[in-house]
Amino acid sequence: MRKIFVVFFGLILGVHAKAVSYDVVPLPQSIQQQKGEPFQLNDRVQILVGEGLQGEATFLQVYLRELTGLQLSVSRKREKKVRYIELAVSSESKDSEGYVLSVSKERISITGGSGAGVFYGIQTLRKALSVGNNTPVTEFPAVVITDAPRFSWRGMHLDCSRHFFSVEYVKKFIDLLALHNMNTFHWHLTDDQGWRIEIKKWPRLIEVGAKRSGTTVGINSDLDDQIPYGGYYSQEEARNIVRYAAERHITVVPEIDMPGHMLAALASYPELGCTGGPYQVGHYWGVYKDVLCVGNPKVYQFVEDVLTEIMEIFPSEVIHIGGDETPTEKWEQCAKCQALDIRDATLQGYFTQKVFDFLTSHHRRVLGWDEILENHAPKDAMIMSWRGTEPGAKAAELGYDVIMSPTTFCYFDYLQSEDAMFEPTRCGGYVPVDKVYSLEPAPDSLSIKARKHIIGVQANLWSEHLTTEGLVEYQALPRMSALAEVQWSFPENKDYQAFLQRLTRLTSFFELYDYQYAKHIWPERQLPNRWQF
Ligand code: ACM
Ligand code: ZN
């Protein structure tokens, strides 16, 4: 009885109102506390929605319900004496992904440069709340937050070839991108160990290429588990994912990795290789010598058919054509390849140019791994720098648009501990959270002109050793949060120690949404049985 009494008076006096904290990840550009009373969020507040922002209003409504239990109504018309959270787009905004979030006693307003800007403002509001806030009133201190991202390409990659992840899981992964204000999901759909996207004109790609008859145990041991493994996304499922991502202002960039990493396609259609096979879908990790025969006209028919269907599924302007790790040995022994008149290009350069011409004639932009730069990349191609930042720096100086994704900072399949014994995966390398955070993608050592060509940053999650969804999350989190600040926040605002505090707050969101995360930077949180996934 006494307790009920205290709670009752507490409510009347406002004692139980819980204040939010604007210590969010990624850190906004400017947070200016204002004088004046806070905004009190309770069940009488409405969401006032501007033209075209119904989707954003629904996200806000759902987040607030998840975090506070309040079910706010959404309204298009302003009424007197009602306090609002207002969502609007302003044509005066300089940055379409920017927003201003302003909080006063009477209202909260989020004004974005576009729907995307409004969405990021909503993410900031969401992350300002605390998880498990079941008090009936939440207080937002008066503030003006003015924010916009540093880079336009804020990406995260997931390899769904080496291991396959369900449509539902890919959506859960995309939700993580949204939580971190990322706007690009790089979907690695094909590789030696499995072709994962339905192509109607070439049906054997999924009938044959989507399955392997076994997988090497460990890192390329002689032991094979002989367990059939497979999976693919139908075109309808892929479209569903594209829509799901688009609602969250995320573009899905598909990757068809070629002319190397094509063994699953060769197993499906052996005539596409230099020797004619037979081939089998890869059981081992690493780089295979069998690649597409660049001297065979049928290969270009195949590539154009595949890319035509890919363009129908994926509206993304940018299409990733891979281009990494392509051995030339088979080409050197192939009469068709040797008969090509490649002049001063390389055979891979010849192939890339043909794919480039096809995609650009369909108004798409070509993105490739940095090897394409060594192979006479066409001027308008985009380069993804993975073998360190040097290839990206060189490409940017040459005038190519570049996305930095160096192994040394951005390979999230690499370990988070120096002691591999204590890690649940068999991955190599060592990329701890502070290393990710320390990446400067466009350093002063580059010319001003080159720095403008560094359009973004992303991390890659290769899945050779990621056999479960929990392991994907363990490798991604919390490094994705450090990456988010590299992508979004400006270097002068970055501070690792302050980030760690913001990150510690953010982990309650990982827990709320049931994501596994690595706890190396919170030794006190590690459990003795932390290897259970
Ligand atoms: C890559 O990691 N082979 C791009
Ligand atoms: Zn050949």
Side-chain angles (χ1 to χ4, degrees), residues 36-76:
E37 290 179 45
F39 180 90
Q40 298 217 329
L41 181 72
N42 58 27
D43 60 3
R44 294 184 301 282
V45 170
Q46 290 193 5
I47 298 170
L48 185 65
V49 58
E51 187 69 29
L53 295 172
Q54 191 62 42
E56 281 65 34
T58 304
F59 278 117
L60 178 58
Q61 196 181 32
V62 170
Y63 297 147
L64 292 174
R65 189 173 61 225
E66 286 168 348
L67 292 160
T68 67
L70 296 174
Q71 174 69 39
L72 303 194
S73 58
V74 177
S75 157
R76 286 184 148 275

Side-chain angles (χ1 to χ4, degrees), residues 496-515:
Y496 185 64
Q497 290 308 322
F499 163 73
L500 285 182
Q501 304 216 340
R502 292 193 294 280
L503 175 59
T504 301
R505 274 197 77 235
L506 187 68
T507 57
S508 62
F509 286 78
F510 303 160
E511 286 165 16
L512 174 71
Y513 297 112
D514 199 23
Y515 292 102

Side-chain angles (χ1 to χ4, degrees), residues 15 60 78 98 182 221 244 330 338 393 528:
V15 175
L60 178 58
R78 189 183 297 274
M182 296 184 185
S221 74
Y244 186 87
K330 300 285 172 176
Q338 291 305 312

Side-chain angles (χ1 to χ4, degrees), residues 162 255 257 261 324-325 369 371 386 407 411 460 462:
R162 277 55 176 267
E255 181 187 355
D257 198 352
H261 288 287
D324 58 325
E325 298 177 319
W369 298 110
E371 284 93 332
W386 72 279
T407 53
Y411 267 41
N460 300 332
W462 300 102

Side-chain angles (χ1 to χ4, degrees), residues 364-502:
R364 303 296 178 111
R365 281 195 82 185
V366 164
L367 168 61
W369 298 110
D370 59 55
E371 284 93 332
I372 69 168
L373 192 66
E374 286 164 9
N375 289 283
H376 312 271
K379 210 67 216 157
D380 204 34
M382 296 162 67
I383 306 293
M384 190 165 265
S385 186
W386 72 279
R387 295 175 300 171
T389 51
E390 297 75 16
K394 185 172 158 206
E397 293 291 359
L398 290 169
Y400 292 94
D401 282 344
V402 169
I403 295 131
M404 288 294 190
S405 193
T407 53
T408 39
F409 297 85
C410 293
Y411 267 41
F412 288 180
D413 51 325
Y414 285 18
L415 297 176
Q416 300 171 82
S417 161
E418 279 179 295
D419 196 342
M421 280 290 288
F422 290 101
E423 287 296 289
T425 68
R426 292 174 184 278
C427 309
Y430 176 50
V431 178
V433 179
D434 60 338
K435 180 83 183 187
V436 179
Y437 198 79
S438 71
L439 174 61
E440 173 42 62
D444 290 346
S445 53
L446 295 181
S447 68
I448 293 174
K449 208 165 128 252
R451 269 183 263 159
K452 291 208 173 90
H453 283 291
I454 310 286
I455 62 163
V457 190
Q458 79 168 41
N460 300 332
L461 207 36
W462 300 102
S463 66
E464 287 92 335
H465 307 292
L466 307 185
T467 48
T468 68
E469 297 166 354
L471 282 172
V472 169
E473 291 159 13
Y474 176 90
Q475 294 297 115
L477 299 173
R479 290 184 287 193
M480 251 177 102
S481 312
L483 176 71
E485 292 215 349
V486 176
Q487 295 171 328
W488 185 280
S489 309
F490 282 76
E492 55 274 25
N493 291 336
K494 279 173 65 190
D495 172 338
Y496 185 64
Q497 290 308 322
F499 163 73
L500 285 182
Q501 304 216 340
R502 292 193 294 280

Side-chain angles (χ1 to χ4, degrees), residues 273-275 292-296 330-331 334-338:
C274 289
T275 65
L292 290 177
C293 174
V294 294
N296 180 353
K330 300 285 172 176
W331 295 342
C334 170
K336 287 197 213 92
C337 287
Q338 291 305 312

